[in-house]
């Protein structure tokens, strides 16, 4: 009989759909539980009130999260799953998770946030039977706290195992960057991208880009499908992660870009770019502003080299970095 998994996440999360789909491909019975606070965040009046009055917000959020926890426990009791897999799951308290573990259900969390959310990581990692982080540095900190239930699991490429690289003969964009801008957090993105403004640069992300010197290169927001199409139509995709040097784990971009079969120019700040891909063969890493400019010019004018690297990056993600790979590893650990 197939094992049953309750997948607790939000429909908005980029991790939800591929996790659900590939769990089913691996033979699990999967039931989705939405932890989104619909009662609050789908109500415009309440959203405005919570933004204006912090005490009101806290009271409302706490009540909503307790209600979500009660509903999840009821679902668990009715469905009697073998596993609860939570993707981030901040609305679920440690008490709720411990109650579910006491019912004999293996509780798993794949937590996608960086050290900027360390408070939640520290609290939630103690509650789950198995806690997975994408960042080796975060894992080291958790192990230092004695958390032997914690493991390293990088993000994944949304690729079917039967996928085949599709070469391209036409492009719409020379250089693209997709990502948000937040003052203080992502200032390096402006610094780096400013040296590419005469190389057909296009930027998508949140509207904060309109407040920067790169406003005229801003093209709007994107959903996942549009993002994939943009990558497919681009000669070069640039990835600039949070510049937190102690961190080592990659954000989603390298997996998304290589899954699209596109050429990736990646910053050097996270060590995992060298662990999970081969620099110069599957992706290209730039070291500093001038090196970014130099490599962008070079690969724009060397199409065969660029396409060879793009195909190798696709093949690496297909061979080692799919959701199927990650979920197999996760449940192998949980089944020990």
């Amino acid at each position: 009989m197939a094992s049953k998994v309750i997948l607790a996440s939000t429909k908005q999360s980029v991790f939800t759909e591929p996790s659900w789909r590939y769990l089913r491909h691996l033979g699990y019975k999967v039931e989705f539980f939405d932890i989104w606070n619909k009662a609050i965040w789908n109500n415009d009046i309440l959203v405005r009130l919570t933004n204006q009055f912090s005490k009101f917000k806290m009271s409302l959020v706490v009540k909503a999260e307790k209600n979500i926890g009660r509903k999840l426990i009821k679902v668990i009791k009715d469905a009697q799953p073998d596993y609860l897999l939570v993707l981030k799951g901040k609305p679920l308290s440690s008490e709720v998770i411990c109650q579910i573990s006491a019912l004999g259900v293996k509780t798993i969390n794949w937590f996608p946030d960086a050290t900027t959310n360390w408070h939640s990581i520290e609290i939630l990692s103690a509650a789950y039977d198995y806690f997975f982080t994408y960042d080796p540095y975060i894992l080291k900190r958790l192990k230092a706290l004695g958390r032997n239930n914690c493991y390293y699991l990088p993000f994944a490429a949304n690729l079917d195992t039967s996928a085949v690289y599709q070469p391209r003969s036409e492009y719409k964009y020379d250089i693209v960057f997709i990502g948000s801008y937040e003052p203080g957090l992502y200032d390096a993105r402006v610094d780096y991208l400013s040296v590419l403004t005469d190389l057909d640069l296009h930027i998508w992300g949140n509207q904060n880009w309109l407040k920067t010197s790169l406003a005229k290169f801003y093209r709007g927001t994107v959903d996942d499908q549009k993002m994939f199409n943009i990558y497919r139509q681009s000669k070069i995709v640039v990835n600039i992660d949070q510049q937190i040097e102690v961190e080592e784990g990659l954000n989603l971009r390298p997996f998304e870009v290589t899954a699209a079969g596109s050429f990736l120019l990646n910053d050097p700040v996270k060590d995992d770019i060298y662990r999970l891909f081969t620099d110069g063969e599957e992706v290209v890493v730039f070291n500093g502003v001038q090196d970014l400019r130099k490599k962008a010019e070079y690969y724009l004018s060397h199409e065969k080299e660029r396409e060879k690297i793009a195909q190798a990056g696709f093949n690496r993600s297909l061979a080692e970095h799919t959701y199927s790979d990650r979920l197999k590893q996760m449940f192998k650990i949980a089944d020990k």
Side-chain angles (χ1 to χ4, degrees), residues 222-235:
V222 292
D223 58 23
D224 293 341
Q225 185 57 53
K226 184 176 180 181
M227 179 171 63
F228 179 84
N229 292 337
I230 291 169
Y231 288 155
R232 286 287 302 163
Q233 297 169 324
S234 303
K235 294 179 181 178

Side-chain angles (χ1 to χ4, degrees), residues 117-128:
N117 202 1
W118 174 253
H119 179 68
S120 294
I121 293 171
E122 187 175 14
I123 292 173
L124 291 176
S125 61
Y128 286 83

Side-chain angles (χ1 to χ4, degrees), residues 4 6 31 73-82:
K4 183 182 291 186
I6 299 293
E31 182 177 334
I73 290 172
K74 183 179 185 306
V75 167
I76 293 289
K77 288 180 177 178
D78 291 343
Q80 297 184 339
D82 301 284

Side-chain angles (χ1 to χ4, degrees), residues 11-294:
K11 293 179 181 178
Q12 295 87 347
S13 170
V14 68
F15 301 98
T16 299
E17 189 280 331
S19 295
W20 180 83
R21 178 156 43 94
Y22 290 108
L23 280 169
R24 295 187 68 198
H25 283 182
L26 293 173
Y28 293 94
K29 291 183 178 179
V30 187
E31 182 177 334
F32 176 69
F33 181 85
D34 195 349
I35 58 175
W36 179 250
N37 285 334
K38 301 183 188 72
I40 299 176
W41 308 122
N42 289 357
N43 186 314
D44 291 339
I45 295 174
L46 288 179
V47 169
R48 287 197 294 271
L49 286 172
T50 56
N51 287 337
Q52 293 177 31
F53 304 104
S54 58
K55 288 184 179 179
F56 176 75
K57 176 180 179 179
M58 286 303 300
S59 174
L60 206 60
V61 168
V62 167
K63 288 181 180 178
E65 291 180 351
K66 285 183 178 179
N67 188 46
I68 290 171
R70 285 192 293 267
K71 287 182 178 179
L72 177 58
I73 290 172
K74 183 179 185 306
V75 167
I76 293 289
K77 288 180 177 178
D78 291 343
Q80 297 184 339
D82 301 284
Y83 309 92
L84 168 68
L85 172 56
V86 178
L87 304 178
K88 190 171 180 176
K90 285 179 66 177
L92 300 175
S93 69
S94 297
E95 291 76 16
V96 167
I97 300 305
C98 290
Q99 287 181 54
I100 292 171
S101 291
L103 295 172
V105 178
K106 291 183 178 180
T107 58
I108 306 169
N109 192 312
W110 193 4
F111 200 87
D113 279 8
T115 52
T116 49
N117 202 1
W118 174 253
H119 179 68
S120 294
I121 293 171
E122 187 175 14
I123 292 173
L124 291 176
S125 61
Y128 286 83
D129 297 320
Y130 305 92
F131 187 89
F132 293 87
T133 173
Y134 74 100
D135 193 308
Y137 171 72
I138 292 176
L139 181 62
K140 291 173 189 174
R141 289 185 64 177
L142 291 171
K143 291 293 188 182
L145 296 174
R147 303 281 163 79
N148 294 322
N149 62 319
C150 297
Y151 302 87
Y152 166 62
L153 193 69
F155 294 144
N158 191 353
L159 275 171
D160 289 329
T161 54
S162 60
V164 177
Y165 178 75
Q166 300 292 332
R168 290 151 294 173
S169 58
E170 296 183 0
Y171 298 89
K172 189 173 181 179
Y173 313 106
D174 283 354
I175 299 180
V176 304
F177 176 84
I178 300 180
S180 60
Y181 172 73
E182 300 294 342
L185 183 62
Y186 289 128
D187 291 340
R189 292 181 171 179
V190 174
D191 297 337
Y192 278 123
L193 296 175
S194 293
V195 302
L196 304 176
T197 54
D198 61 330
L199 298 178
D200 189 37
L201 173 66
H202 301 265
I203 298 171
W204 285 266
N206 62 6
Q207 293 188 354
N208 285 343
W209 284 106
L210 294 173
K211 302 173 185 177
T212 72
S213 58
L214 298 173
K216 71 176 183 178
F217 303 97
Y218 176 66
R219 305 292 181 252
T221 59
V222 292
D223 58 23
D224 293 341
Q225 185 57 53
K226 184 176 180 181
M227 179 171 63
F228 179 84
N229 292 337
I230 291 169
Y231 288 155
R232 286 287 302 163
Q233 297 169 324
S234 303
K235 294 179 181 178
I236 293 175
V237 180
V238 178
N239 180 41
I240 305 162
D241 207 338
Q242 292 185 38
Q243 304 298 294
I244 305 175
E245 293 187 1
V246 294
E247 292 184 355
E248 303 173 38
L250 291 177
N251 64 8
L252 262 175
R253 289 294 180 265
F255 305 104
E256 292 169 335
V257 175
T258 54
S262 298
F263 175 88
L264 176 66
L265 258 179
N266 206 90
D267 73 5
V269 73
K270 303 298 175 65
D271 290 345
D272 264 4
I273 192 64
Y274 301 105
R275 295 189 187 108
L276 302 179
F277 296 94
T278 302
D279 180 24
E281 296 181 16
E282 298 162 343
V283 300
V284 173
V285 178
F286 60 86
N287 292 281
V289 172
Q290 295 309 314
D291 193 44
L292 170 59
R293 171 74 190 200
K294 178 181 177 181

Side-chain angles (χ1 to χ4, degrees), residues 304-319:
K304 288 185 178 180
E305 288 185 52
R306 189 180 70 236
E307 284 301 303
K308 182 180 179 181
I309 291 170
Q311 183 171 1
F314 174 90
N315 289 338
R316 180 67 179 272
S317 281
L318 180 63

